[in-house]
Amino acid sequence: MAVTVRQLMQRKQQSQPIVAATAWDYAFANLMDESGVDLVLVGDSLAMVALGYSTTLPITLEEMLHHAKAVRRGVKQALVVCDLPFLSYQESLSQAIHSAGRVLKESGAEAVKVEGGYPAIAETVARLVQVGIPVLGHVGLTPQSVHQLGYRQQGKTDDGGEKVLQEAIALEQAGAFAVVLEHIPAELGRRITETLSIPTIGIGAGPHCDGQVLVTADLLGLSDRQPPFARVYANLRQTITQAIAQYAQEVRTRQFPPERADSGR
Ligand code: KIV
C-alpha cells in the first residue's frame, strides 16, 4: 500500500524512523522506490546535481514540474514531495497556491516543500493547508537563501537556535505535516524533535530527528563533492567512469563490438 501523509505523521508516535531521499528522474525514482524509501523528494537540489547550476536559485517551476512528472512515473509506494522553487511562492499567497496547485495537479506529487519559517512562510503554509495541499516545511540551512546564509551550519548560538526552534513551531502551528531540519547542531535537532508533535526529518541535524533525508547524488557518490554531513554509501562516480573508460578503450581498440553480435539483450 502506498505511503500517505497520515502514515508518515504516525511514524513519530510509533518511533519508526522515516527514510527519505531525493530523485530527479524516472530511473532514480524507481530505484529509490524499489529500495523501500518512504518519501521521495523532488528536491530543488536537482538544479545543482542534475542540471549543473551552482545554486538552486535558477531552477523554474516549469523545470521542477518536468522532473516531478518523471519521478512520479517511477514511484509506486513512496510519498512523492516536490520542492517549490525560489520565487514560485514568496511573492504572494495566491502565487503560492497557484504554484503548489500546479505541482499537485500536473505532476501527481502528493505534497510540496517550502523553505523558511515565520511569519510570511508560516502564513503561506497555513493557506496551502487550508486549500488541501500538504506541506513539508524546511528550516535551518535553507539553500534558497544562500546569498544571505551561505552553506554554513545554522542555529549555533543561543539566539540562532531559538530562531530555528520558533520557526519550526510556527510551521507546525501553520499545519505543516513534517519539517526538514538542515545543517544545525545535533542538540538543537533533538530539542526541536522533542518540542514538535509532527515529525522532523534531518539532513545534517543529528541522530535524534524522526527521520533522515539525503541528496541521492551524495549518498551514491555521484557528486564531485559532498556536504560534510553526507555519508557516501557507494562510489558510483568511480564505478561509472571506469565502466565508460573501459567501453571507450574497447571501441578504440576494436574489441567492441565483437565479430559475432553479443546476444546479451
Ligand atoms: O533540495 C533538496 O534536495 C532538499 C534536501 C536537501 C532536503 O531540500
Side-chain angles (χ1 to χ4, degrees):
M1 224 177 56
V3 177
T4 63
V5 166
R6 236 177 122 78
Q7 283 168 357
L8 272 195
M9 294 180 80
Q10 287 164 354
R11 294 290 189 83
K12 186 168 181 120
Q13 283 72 45
Q14 297 162 345
S15 295
Q16 278 179 14
I18 296 167
V19 181
T22 66
W24 49 87
D25 65 9
Y26 170 84
F28 275 99
N30 200 235
L31 292 170
M32 296 293 112
D33 201 43
E34 283 198 4
S35 312
V37 162
D38 302 309
L39 186 161
V40 173
L41 174 67
V42 189
D44 61 358
S45 58
L46 76 84
M48 299 167 78
V49 300
L51 301 182
Y53 290 116
S54 60
T55 70
T56 60
L57 301 189
I59 197 159
T60 63
L61 182 62
E62 297 305 325
E63 288 171 311
M64 288 301 293
L65 283 166
H66 174 75
H67 286 272
K69 287 179 196 173
V71 167
R72 179 70 274 178
R73 290 191 286 269
V75 173
K76 292 193 174 59
Q77 296 300 321
L79 187 82
V80 177
V81 180
C82 180
D83 265 347
L84 290 187
F86 182 58
L87 287 197
S88 71
Y89 60 99
Q90 292 97 334
E91 276 177 32
S92 65
L93 293 179
S94 66
Q95 188 209 27
I97 293 172
H98 187 73
S99 300
R102 283 194 66 194
V103 167
L104 264 63
K105 282 164 81 93
E106 295 176 33
S107 78
E110 284 115 354
V112 296
K113 177 162 80 59
V114 296
E115 291 187 8
Y118 73 109
I121 297 300
E123 200 185 337
T124 301
V125 171
R127 192 70 188 100
L128 293 178
V129 172
Q130 243 172 31
V131 299
I133 299 173
V135 183
L136 175 61
H138 182 158
V139 295
L141 170 55
T142 46
Q144 291 178 13
S145 310
V146 60
H147 296 309
Q148 280 176 330
L149 307 178
Y151 291 115
R152 282 186 303 275
Q153 191 183 51
Q154 300 297 303
K156 283 202 284 197
T157 61
D158 286 353
D159 283 357
E162 188 58 29
K163 179 172 176 286
V164 180
L165 171 66
Q166 291 308 325
E167 287 185 334
I169 292 172
L171 290 172
E172 168 167 348
Q173 287 172 349
F177 72 86
V179 184
V180 169
L181 306 178
E182 180 165 354
H183 207 7
I184 58 171
E187 186 46 34
L188 180 59
R190 188 190 59 73
R191 197 168 147 218
I192 297 174
T193 301
E194 285 174 359
T195 305
L196 299 191
S197 54
I198 57 172
T200 58
I201 303 178
I203 172 164
H208 310 288
C209 297
D210 300 302
Q212 298 291 329
V213 58
L214 278 179
V215 173
T216 295
D218 295 335
L219 89 88
L220 294 180
L222 280 169
S223 333
D224 39 14
R225 61 202 153 108
Q226 289 84 24
F229 48 76
R231 184 170 290 175
V232 181
Y233 287 87
N235 191 345
L236 287 197
R237 201 177 167 84
Q238 193 182 48
T239 307
I240 291 170
T241 49
Q242 273 172 0
I244 295 172
Q246 186 180 346
Y247 162 67
Q249 195 253 340
E250 290 189 4
V251 170
R252 289 185 184 119
T253 55
R254 301 196 186 279
Q255 283 174 274
F256 178 83
E259 205 58 49
R260 276 183 44 198
D262 274 355
S263 55
R265 295 191 74 160

